[in-house]
Amino acid sequence: VSISTRGFDPSSFFQAVPSQGAGTGVVITADGYILTNNHVIEAAANGGTIDVVLQDGTRLTGDLVGRNADYDLAVVKVDTTGLTPATIGDSESVQVGDQSIAVGSPLGLEGTVTSGIVSALDRPVTAGGADGSETSFISAIQTDAPINPGNSGGPLVNAEGQVIGVNSAIASLNSSSGGQAGSIGLGFAIPINTANRIAQELIKTGTAATPVIGATIDFSYTGQGASVQSVTPGGPADEAGIKAGDVIVALDGKRVDDAVGLITDIRQNAPGDRITLTLENADEIEVTLGQR
């Protein structure tokens, strides 16, 4: 995996160009911590090599600090100082219609900047790992800024140049040759408040916990809401009184449409947070989130 810095401030962003694909990321500390997608570095996670190329052409070896496949996030460290960190914004303040700018290396074209608007918030999406073995669930910022393969892990910024999200997935039509087509104006970014929380946990401990309710959700359920398939004995859902067959239709008053929506809504919280789940029969149940 090779990584090179580019962007609004050349020392704040980088592009990753692994041998199996392409990606992007964000310098978050002056002493070399870099935030990117898990799927950007996944191929190098078990004995691979991460090469980092700075804006001035300096090539460094990157060390994987930690990764969380559930959120599709990872942190890489290079042994250097004096980098200029990107300015982190507040994704809670983002509104539909705000200007959005994506920085990255789409299709290997380094230092590319594309612009658009925030076209939706809290969009539940899934993103697969490099080999399809690790699936991430993202409550995403949707943007129509053109995003293509190679933008993954890079910053989505607002009009002030503050990072509001980490570009992670696109919706794309398949080309006639069976490959992936280009941007159709549907890109998705992990909100920076979530991404930064995970990044700080990875920096401090090398791991980051994923909040769970201790239940398996039935992805084949076709009604509105998320149907509980099974409950982990002694887990948060079990202790709160949730049972197999219950259908969850809202979380903290926000409608839950399906299994993916429930999981992405849960993952906007942290382990230990208390949430209120509304069942199909109108029962409201408080659950203290566990972790894995």
Side-chain angles (χ1 to χ4, degrees), residues 107 147-149 170-173 180-185:
L107 307 180
I147 294 173
N148 288 282
I170 59 174
S172 185
L173 302 175
Q180 190 174 45
S183 170
I184 56 172

Side-chain angles (χ1 to χ4, degrees), residues 9-164:
D9 182 332
S11 58
S12 295
F13 307 124
F14 74 90
Q15 281 79 43
V17 188
S19 58
Q20 290 92 351
T24 306
V26 187
V27 174
I28 55 175
T29 70
D31 58 348
Y33 284 98
I34 299 166
L35 173 64
T36 188
N37 279 145
N38 172 65
H39 75 259
V40 170
I41 56 80
E42 186 178 358
N46 297 307
T49 300
I50 302 174
D51 296 323
V52 178
V53 182
L54 300 181
Q55 174 70 15
D56 61 4
T58 302
R59 186 176 295 272
L60 302 170
T61 297
D63 294 318
L64 178 59
V65 175
R67 63 193 187 108
N68 185 308
D70 291 332
Y71 285 95
D72 194 19
L73 292 168
V75 172
V76 172
K77 176 71 166 63
V78 292
D79 186 13
T80 190
T81 58
L83 300 179
T84 303
T87 302
I88 303 300
D90 177 13
S91 51
E92 287 294 321
S93 67
V94 175
Q95 297 182 10
V96 173
D98 287 351
Q99 183 178 9
S100 57
I101 303 164
V103 184
S105 185
L107 307 180
L109 300 174
E110 298 183 359
T112 296
V113 178
T114 56
S115 68
I117 62 168
V118 173
S119 47
L121 298 172
D122 300 325
R123 182 75 75 193
V125 297
T126 60
D131 60 0
S133 62
E134 296 176 312
T135 302
S136 308
F137 292 83
I138 303 165
S139 182
I141 297 171
Q142 181 179 316
T143 179
D144 67 351
I147 294 173
N148 288 282
N151 280 109
S152 294
L156 185 71
V157 306
N158 60 19
E160 286 72 46
Q162 300 167 333
V163 180
I164 56 172

Side-chain angles (χ1 to χ4, degrees), residues 264-277:
T264 57
D265 286 347
I266 288 171
R267 291 184 182 175
Q268 291 187 73
N269 298 277
D273 286 351
R274 291 187 64 82
I275 61 172
T276 300
L277 299 177

Side-chain angles (χ1 to χ4, degrees), residues 174-218:
N174 288 330
S175 68
S176 58
S177 63
Q180 190 174 45
S183 170
I184 56 172
L186 296 170
F188 306 98
I190 303 167
I192 194 59
N193 290 14
T194 298
N196 194 42
R197 175 176 67 81
I198 298 299
Q200 296 309 314
E201 289 184 31
L202 291 173
I203 290 171
K204 290 177 182 177
T205 68
T207 62
T210 300
V212 296
I213 62 170
T216 300
I217 306 302
D218 183 2

